[in-house]
Amino acid sequence: MKYVDEFRDGGLAQKLATAIRAEADPAREYAFMEFCGGHTHAISRYGVTDLLPPNVRMIHGPGCPVCVLPIGRIDMAIGLALARPEVIVCTYGDCLRVPASDGLSMLKAKARGADIRMVYSAADAVALAQANPAREVVFFAIGFETTTPPTALVIRQAEALGLNNFSVICNHVLTPSAIVTILESPEVREIGSVPLDGFIGPAHVSTIIGSRPYAFFAEEYRKPVVIAGFEPLDVMQAVRMLIRQVNEGRAEVENEFTRAVTEDGNLKAQALVSDVFELRRSFEWRGLHEVPYSALRIRARFAAFDAEAKFDIAYRSVADNKACECGAILRGVKKPTDCRIFGTVCTPENPMGSCMVSSEGACAAHYNYGRFRDIPVVAA
Amino acid sequence: MGEVKKGYVRPLDLKQGRVDMGHGAGGRAMAQLIDEVFARAFANEWLGQGNDAAVLPAPAAGERLVMATDAHVVSPLFFPGGDIGCLSVHGTINDVAVMGARPLYLAASFILEEGFALADLVRIVNSMAAAAREAGVPVVTGDTKVVEAGKGDGVFISTTGVGALPAGRDIGGANARAGDVVIVSGSIGDHGTAILSQRESLAFDTEIVSDTAALHGLIAHLLELVPGVRVMRDPTRGGLATTLNEIAVQSGVGISLEEAAIPVHPQVEAACEFLGLDPLYVANEGKLVVICAAADADAAVSALRAHPLGTEAARIGEVIDDPNHFVQIRTGFGGRRMVDWLSGEQLPRIC
Ligand code: SF4
């Protein structure tokens, strides 16, 4: 794992921090949004904030797939598993704890007898279906562009294997449309209320879609985008590149993550995805409301593997907890500590909103890694 | 124990046989199982008496009794470096030993699932007996129950241990004071990673083996050279992070760690990276956390390093004043963050 250490070198970090301090103009404030939960995690996990000057602020964006999943979608899976004993719902670990309706989550539904299981990959879900021919295995698929190709692959596999007890609830969402929504949201457009000076573009997502889809933001909205890897040094390097663009009045797409991201991305994966999925006209995101053309559904040709069609389950929108500020937090308008119930009513053990669920969520990241900053601690 | 006349009883088929409900029903089959599997493996004067309880001598005058109990459920039952049997012996010995006590006796209770292979049971019991013998802590009484197929996970083992605490010794989670030093006896995360590497759905190739071990020898050696140790704990489930949070709350202090000083084997680090886990939260079964006065720190580290179970011992942080009882860490990267209680189970990341 030596190659990882290179990107976490404390000495290099200090040098980069000095360079950033030298380049940041003390007369102005910089606010950059890291769109992706992986970056939020890296920033919190390595304490990157401590290495940035106080006038450079990082805003956590909506890039945690678990956080943006609306309650109603989880209800669909729970409802199905509770109503039909023959169904095994399986999904990635973090999904299990997301709060849903009636005080339930998948984990709590499991305790009530629903057969809900954690899998580590889409391939595990297919294996589960093969191992349980007398049951119906439903894979609750979530994630951005990164996790979409594996889902497409298992649907094609299931078809090739002639598996008739496997289907997917597809909740895959698309990054670029979410960024547009943030930029289009009234608070963000209103100059001054959320001064967003640029974006750190996602790492893994960009390995699939390439850097080209971001060109539009840079041009249309005059916001620089720097695509960066998930290592803390990547994040700091990206911040430095963003500061430089802002200082020079440029708004371009730059690629810090050239070791993995190309302009076009992974064309094979893209072809696979478009073979199996098509755009949904609209999809509700937690915190962002309905976002047009922001998610995927399974094409009619693969309807046999579409759990929504197979079990005739429909989506019903459910309002978030009233006190919850997740929406404003996901749009970068508020900080976790601006929420009245942060850390008191809403904690990682008992999340009220989605941002408190995954360690990549803004609220959970601040609660787990950063809340000591809110309260001064006396050294011995 | 069962009084079974060997000549008239067909011996258990320890190669092909399986546990059935009869083995827990209290009749002949149970007596036979106890006799041929448990009593044979654990063989000692107390167990051999076959009474419902063991009669044990009182500890020396001035000594106090220390008692701990632990239920063991692990999947898989056999893993690189050990199995549920030796684990159940080590875990309980360690719980007694970290109080500064001399572990004396163990009790063991087994919950077996109908259908469990007797050969596997024998393997587990033999490993347990070997661990107990090696540690010099006999299993003096026990119990067996059988549950229907599907209601257990092969085998659950619950062990209870008693030990004797010398007069005047006071070691406990509430004793840490600001200015004290935090030490670990070696690399962290080995056990949990070894277990994960064997999970059916994860199975990855690695040379990581569990660190499962009885720590009373190491502890005795440490206390001989540094009698003033304030806190000892074995950071099992929940890992180092959870243990330190417990101590911070119990003692009403904060703890500040240096990430770069915490020993983690590169293979464990790589596996955790791959699974999206933090080694600070991964279980250990043969490691010790020690908190002592700063003046004793060097002596404690060298005492630990002089013992085969503590060769990688390191000083990893200090106790600070903090009314919030937070555990903080200076990351290798140069920033600070909290090392909080784990919320829920540590689950691999998806993205
Ligand atoms: S603290 Fe909880 S309720 Fe408030 S915004 Fe965060 S997740 Fe939502």
Side-chain angles (χ1 to χ4, degrees):
Chain A
M1 237 9 183
K2 270 284 156 281
Y3 69 95
V4 158
D5 295 346
E6 266 171 55
F7 298 105
R8 294 179 191 169
D9 183 315
L12 279 178
Q14 293 301 338
K15 275 189 208 143
L16 202 44
T18 312
I20 289 175
R21 270 196 300 277
E23 275 186 58
D25 177 355
R28 60 158 298 163
E29 301 276 318
Y30 300 83
F32 301 123
M33 175 178 276
E34 87 274 3
F35 177 83
C36 189
H39 289 134
T40 305
H41 184 85
I43 290 169
S44 320
R45 165 83 175 74
Y46 296 96
V48 170
T49 320
D50 287 348
L51 297 162
L52 298 177
N55 60 334
V56 176
R57 180 158 91 91
M58 298 308 295
I59 295 170
H60 308 314
C64 161
V66 176
C67 303
V68 294
L69 199 64
I71 297 176
R73 299 292 300 178
I74 304 162
D75 285 353
M76 284 166 68
I78 291 178
L80 182 64
L82 283 174
R84 291 175 174 258
E86 79 273 24
V87 166
I88 304 174
V89 168
C90 54
T91 189
Y92 298 121
D94 270 353
C95 268
L96 297 176
R97 297 197 297 123
V98 182
S101 297
D102 306 323
L104 283 176
S105 62
M106 291 208 205
L107 215 54
K108 286 182 183 155
K110 181 170 148 74
R112 288 205 192 165
D115 196 345
I116 296 180
R117 305 187 191 179
M118 180 173 88
V119 288
Y120 293 96
S121 69
D124 288 352
V126 173
L128 197 62
Q130 285 177 292
N132 293 276
R135 307 282 304 272
E136 278 290 343
V137 172
V138 177
F139 178 49
F140 188 77
I142 74 157
F144 287 95
E145 288 85 342
T146 331
T147 47
T148 311
T151 306
L153 199 63
V154 293
I155 289 176
R156 284 233 300 231
Q157 244 171 23
E159 186 186 46
L161 290 167
L163 272 184
N164 55 10
N165 66 332
F166 177 76
S167 57
V168 173
I169 299 181
C170 173
N171 306 287
H172 286 295
V173 287
L174 303 169
T175 310
S177 20
I179 300 187
V180 172
T181 307
I182 293 165
L183 288 168
E184 292 281 352
S185 89
E187 302 103 316
V188 177
R189 295 193 68 146
E190 200 180 295
I191 299 180
S193 79
V194 190
L196 261 189
D197 296 304
F199 286 95
I200 296 188
H204 294 161
V205 164
S206 309
T207 60
I208 308 288
I209 65 173
S211 63
R212 211 188 296 283
Y214 306 100
F216 169 74
F217 312 112
E219 272 166 36
E220 192 76 0
Y221 297 95
R222 304 288 313 144
K223 301 286 182 201
V225 178
V226 174
I227 295 160
F230 280 143
E231 293 300 330
L233 275 181
D234 288 324
V235 175
M236 291 191 55
Q237 181 62 27
V239 167
R240 184 184 182 186
M241 290 162 77
L242 283 169
I243 291 176
R244 201 173 282 171
Q245 284 207 44
V246 170
N247 287 351
E248 293 170 3
R250 287 183 292 127
E252 295 162 13
V253 177
E254 289 182 311
N255 187 0
E256 184 275 339
F257 199 37
T258 45
R259 62 183 191 276
V261 172
T262 61
E263 219 174 312
D264 293 324
N266 183 339
L267 295 173
K268 243 169 112 185
Q270 291 170 25
L272 174 65
V273 166
S274 70
D275 177 46
V276 177
F277 300 113
E278 63 189 7
L279 278 177
R280 287 183 196 257
R281 190 159 291 155
S282 181
F283 191 78
E284 184 177 342
W285 291 51
R286 227 174 185 175
L288 300 178
H289 309 294
E290 288 281 334
V291 180
Y293 300 110
S294 64
L296 299 172
R297 69 162 177 236
I298 298 168
R299 283 187 192 276
R301 183 166 104 59
F302 295 95
F305 304 99
D306 185 349
E308 290 178 57
K310 185 171 188 178
F311 299 100
D312 191 24
I313 39 176
Y315 174 71
R316 205 169 44 85
S317 173
V318 180
D320 265 318
N321 182 310
K322 272 214 194 62
C324 177
E325 300 275 15
C326 288
I329 286 167
L330 291 172
R331 292 193 302 275
V333 184
K334 289 193 172 172
K335 297 196 293 284
T337 43
D338 294 334
C339 175
R340 272 185 299 121
I341 57 176
F342 174 83
T344 52
V345 177
C346 183
T347 61
E349 281 68 40
N350 208 348
M352 292 291 128
S354 51
C355 304
M356 197 54 108
V357 175
S358 144
S359 67
E360 296 178 2
C363 292
H366 185 67
Y367 188 91
N368 288 330
Y369 292 123
R371 75 183 188 282
F372 72 95
R373 290 198 178 83
D374 305 338
I375 317 160
V377 168
V378 206
Chain B
M1 289 301 118
E3 271 298 305
V4 179
K5 224 172 175 184
K6 303 285 183 267
Y8 296 116
V9 173
R10 182 184 183 153
L12 280 176
D13 181 356
L14 294 179
K15 285 213 174 79
Q16 306 292 329
R18 295 191 172 266
V19 170
D20 61 50
M21 294 308 290
H23 290 123
R28 191 178 345 251
M30 182 166 128
Q32 194 180 5
L33 181 75
I34 291 173
D35 205 45
E36 293 184 28
V37 176
F38 298 107
R40 194 169 292 170
F42 295 132
N44 58 60
E45 53 177 300
W46 299 275
L47 205 59
Q49 288 165 10
N51 291 319
D52 281 354
V55 178
L56 307 165
E63 286 192 329
R64 290 152 293 164
L65 281 178
V66 172
M67 181 170 172
T69 189
D70 216 344
H72 299 269
V73 295
V74 357
S75 162
L77 297 169
F78 302 93
F79 47 82
D83 54 71
I84 188 173
C86 61
L87 192 69
S88 70
V89 166
H90 294 152
T92 299
I93 287 181
N94 293 347
D95 286 348
V96 169
V98 292
M99 299 305 292
R102 211 169 58 246
L104 298 172
Y105 307 102
L106 290 172
S109 139
F110 295 81
I111 297 176
L112 308 175
E113 185 183 0
E114 184 187 14
F116 189 66
L118 286 175
D120 283 344
L121 180 63
V122 168
R123 208 174 138 196
I124 289 168
V125 171
N126 284 344
S127 151
M128 212 172 153
R133 238 188 330 273
E134 197 181 318
V137 186
V139 177
V140 298
T141 185
D143 183 45
T144 311
K145 294 277 167 3
V146 177
V147 294
E148 283 167 31
K151 295 198 170 159
D153 212 353
V155 52
F156 300 137
I157 306 177
S158 165
T159 46
T160 301
V162 287
L165 185 66
R169 186 169 284 169
D170 174 24
I171 291 168
N175 294 349
R177 297 180 213 156
D180 284 357
V181 167
V182 183
I183 296 164
V184 284
S185 66
S187 65
I188 60 160
D190 297 13
H191 175 73
T193 321
I195 292 270
L196 276 180
S197 73
Q198 298 301 302
R199 287 262 165 96
E200 198 185 337
S201 49
L202 282 178
F204 53 91
D205 261 344
T206 175
E207 281 148 31
I208 305 164
V209 296
S210 166
D211 57 352
T212 183
L215 294 169
H216 57 316
L218 175 74
I219 290 172
H221 177 69
L222 170 69
L223 291 179
E224 203 175 298
L225 297 170
V226 190
V229 164
R230 290 208 239 270
V231 183
M232 288 192 291
R233 230 356 107 83
D234 56 333
T236 51
R237 191 177 33 159
L240 182 64
T242 304
T243 295
L244 293 178
N245 271 289
E246 285 167 4
I247 295 171
V249 170
Q250 266 184 287
S251 294
V253 295
I255 289 174
S256 172
L257 301 173
E258 284 297 329
E259 187 169 54
I262 301 174
V264 184
H265 287 153
Q267 289 223 358
V268 169
E269 196 156 327
C272 286
E273 179 72 28
F274 163 68
L275 297 169
L277 302 177
D278 184 341
L280 290 174
Y281 293 89
V282 177
N284 312 278
E285 290 292 346
K287 293 294 154 28
L288 182 67
V289 173
V290 177
I291 295 182
C292 64
D296 287 336
D298 290 340
V301 171
S302 35
L304 291 169
R305 285 201 179 151
H307 190 277
L309 290 177
T311 52
E312 292 175 289
R315 179 179 172 146
I316 58 166
E318 60 169 348
V319 178
I320 57 173
D321 265 327
D322 176 3
N324 300 301
H325 320 325
F326 288 160
V327 179
Q328 298 181 33
I329 193 165
R330 176 180 304 286
T331 70
F333 196 65
R336 292 191 81 80
R337 69 170 162 101
M338 274 177 73
V339 178
D340 208 356
W341 294 92
L342 195 60
S343 22
E345 219 185 320
Q346 200 178 208
L347 301 171
R349 266 205 318 268
I350 51 163
C351 139

